[in-house]
């Protein structure tokens, strides 16, 4: 029986020694090994054998990107308005040795530093710009955290603000301001639409008057051209008639025919006057009729010469 107990004890000791000697590091993990209380080496993913009772795994780090929630805190803006801001922080361990011996708790330290940096950044801008300046605030916080976390072997990947919560009275005032701004824009748009409508109507009336005046002008031009053409046609016809008369007078017997024609016309007009009037003036000497015809004939001869 004592021998059996001895084998059990030896087997138990062997198991303990193997447990302290054989180590398997998971993927995306790193173990920091100390030998007799002093840093020895960093174990990467895989199978490793330690020196029993001398080596021990002091720190275990995940090399994956970690998300750290930054609790909500009260920040004061440049225009002295208190807002509640919470965020989320993404970081990754790059150097397990520095992450083990550079600081006690790098997660807590980075969260505290993120809060203080955020308060400083919020204090630089007014409340109205805090919502639109999230990207700038995030970038500035990451830049400040990177400067401090280099000594801790940690890389801050991203910092994102989740919520910005102003006080209720400020929210109510902002809603009233936005409502007034919308009403103002609506009034401006309505007035601009009415102005454009009046301008369009006036422009239409102007074009109408211009078109009407142009049409009237063209009508007058056309009438003037028509009258000029008619006058020219009458003049041409008269000239042609005179040429025909002159040609006829130059022929034999033409002068006698003209005298006869003038006498007939004189008698026709004289008879017309006698019909239209109750009073008739008759020349004292009827030979005046022949003298009138002779006078007209002499005038025609002078015109021909």
């Amino acid at each position: 029986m004592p021998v059996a107990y001895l084998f059990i004890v030896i087997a138990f000791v062997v198991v303990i020694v193997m447990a302290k000697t054989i180590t398997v590091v998971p993927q995306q993990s790193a173990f920091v090994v100390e030998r007799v209380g002093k840093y020895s080496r960093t174990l990467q993913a895989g199978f490793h054998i330690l020196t029993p009772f001398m080596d021990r795994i002091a720190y275990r780090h995940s090399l994956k990107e970690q998300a750290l929630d930054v609790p909500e805190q009260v920040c004061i803006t440049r225009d002295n308005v208190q807002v509640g801001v919470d965020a989320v922080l993404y970081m990754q361990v790059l150097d397990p040795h520095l992450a083990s011996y550079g600081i006690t708790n790098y997660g807590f330290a980075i969260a505290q530093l993120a809060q203080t940096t955020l308060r400083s950044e919020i204090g630089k801008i007014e409340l109205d710009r805090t919502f639109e300046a999230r990207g700038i605030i995030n970038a500035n916080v990451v830049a400040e955290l990177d400067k401090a976390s280099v000594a801790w072997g940690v890389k801050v990947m991203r910092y994102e603000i989740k919520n910005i919560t102003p006080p209720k009275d400020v929210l109510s005032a902002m809603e009233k301001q936005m409502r007034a701004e919308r009403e103002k824009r609506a009034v401006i748009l309505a007035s601009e639409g009415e102005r454009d409508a009046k301008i369009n109507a006036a422009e239409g009336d102007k074009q109408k008057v211009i078109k009407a005046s142009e049409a009237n002008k063209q009508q007058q031009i056309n009438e003037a051209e028509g009258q000029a053409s008619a006058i020219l046609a009458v003049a041409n016809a008269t000239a042609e008639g005179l040429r025909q008369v002159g040609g006829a007078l130059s022929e034999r017997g033409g002068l006698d025919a003209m005298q006869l024609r003038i006498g007939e016309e004189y008698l026709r007009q004289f008879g017309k006057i006698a019909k239209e009037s109750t009073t008739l003036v008759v020349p004292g000497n009827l030979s005046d009729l022949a003298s009138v015809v002779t006078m007209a004939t002499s005038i025609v001869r002078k015109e021909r010469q």
Side-chain angles (χ1 to χ4, degrees):
M1 290 295 294
V3 176
Y5 286 123
L6 180 61
F7 279 113
I8 293 174
V9 171
I10 293 174
F12 183 73
V13 171
V14 170
V15 171
I16 293 176
V17 170
M18 291 182 63
K20 290 184 174 293
T21 301
I22 299 173
T23 301
V24 177
V25 180
Q27 183 69 30
Q28 286 295 96
S29 298
F31 293 172
V32 175
V33 178
E34 292 181 350
R35 177 168 291 181
V36 194
K38 184 179 180 181
Y39 173 75
S40 174
R41 63 188 183 277
T42 300
L43 303 180
Q44 302 298 328
F47 178 83
H48 302 275
I49 297 177
L50 304 178
T51 302
F53 305 106
M54 295 184 65
D55 294 342
R56 75 179 187 92
I57 299 175
Y59 300 97
R60 301 171 185 265
H61 296 286
S62 174
L63 302 181
K64 300 177 183 178
E65 187 173 340
Q66 305 173 40
L68 180 64
D69 183 64
V70 180
E72 182 178 1
Q73 60 176 331
V74 177
C75 303
I76 300 177
T77 62
R78 186 176 181 179
D79 48 353
N80 297 323
V81 178
Q82 293 184 353
V83 292
V85 184
D86 60 342
V88 60
L89 177 69
Y90 298 88
M91 60 183 181
Q92 186 177 14
V93 176
L94 299 181
D95 191 334
H97 176 252
L98 293 178
S100 300
Y101 301 101
I103 192 170
T104 303
N105 188 340
Y106 60 83
F108 175 78
I110 290 177
Q112 294 299 311
L113 183 59
Q115 288 183 326
T116 57
T117 305
L118 178 62
R119 284 195 293 268
S120 176
E121 293 297 325
I122 292 294
K124 296 178 182 178
I125 58 179
E126 291 81 6
L127 175 63
D128 293 340
R129 293 191 60 248
T130 54
F131 299 95
E132 64 184 33
R134 286 191 179 190
I136 299 176
I137 296 174
N138 295 337
N140 293 340
V141 171
V142 170
E144 292 297 325
L145 294 180
D146 267 345
K147 295 177 183 178
S149 61
V150 170
W152 304 337
V154 179
K155 171 69 175 177
V156 177
M157 310 302 292
R158 291 186 302 279
Y159 181 87
E160 298 292 339
I161 296 176
K162 292 192 294 185
N163 297 303
I164 299 178
T165 308
K168 293 183 179 180
D169 55 344
V170 175
L171 282 176
S172 177
M174 292 175 65
E175 291 177 356
K176 292 180 181 178
Q177 181 181 0
M178 289 187 293
R179 189 179 302 111
E181 186 67 24
R182 292 192 185 96
E183 293 176 354
K184 174 184 175 182
R185 288 200 298 267
V187 172
I188 292 174
L189 291 175
S191 63
E192 289 179 350
E194 184 178 356
R195 181 195 64 186
D196 294 341
K198 291 181 179 179
I199 291 174
N200 292 334
E203 187 67 23
D205 294 339
K206 174 184 175 182
Q207 294 296 327
K208 180 180 179 181
V209 172
I210 292 174
K211 294 296 184 182
S213 64
E214 291 179 351
N216 187 24
K217 173 184 175 182
Q218 189 64 39
Q219 180 181 1
Q220 293 178 359
I221 291 173
N222 294 337
E223 291 178 354
E225 291 178 350
Q227 293 175 0
S229 299
I231 292 172
L232 182 60
V234 171
N236 291 332
T238 302
E240 182 64 24
L242 292 175
R243 281 194 295 270
Q244 294 290 337
V245 171
L249 291 176
S250 62
E251 296 178 357
R252 184 177 181 181
L255 184 59
D256 296 336
M258 181 195 67
Q259 292 177 353
L260 178 60
R261 177 60 179 165
I262 292 174
E264 291 177 352
E265 184 64 22
Y266 179 83
L267 293 176
R268 189 175 64 83
Q269 295 296 332
F270 187 79
K272 185 178 180 181
I273 292 173
K275 290 180 180 180
E276 293 178 355
S277 176
T278 58
T279 302
L280 181 63
V281 179
V282 181
N285 190 0
L286 294 177
S287 60
D288 291 341
L289 178 60
S291 63
V292 171
V293 174
T294 303
M295 185 181 300
T297 304
S298 63
I299 292 173
V300 171
R301 286 177 176 175
K302 291 180 180 180
E303 292 293 332
R304 289 181 58 191
Q305 293 176 357

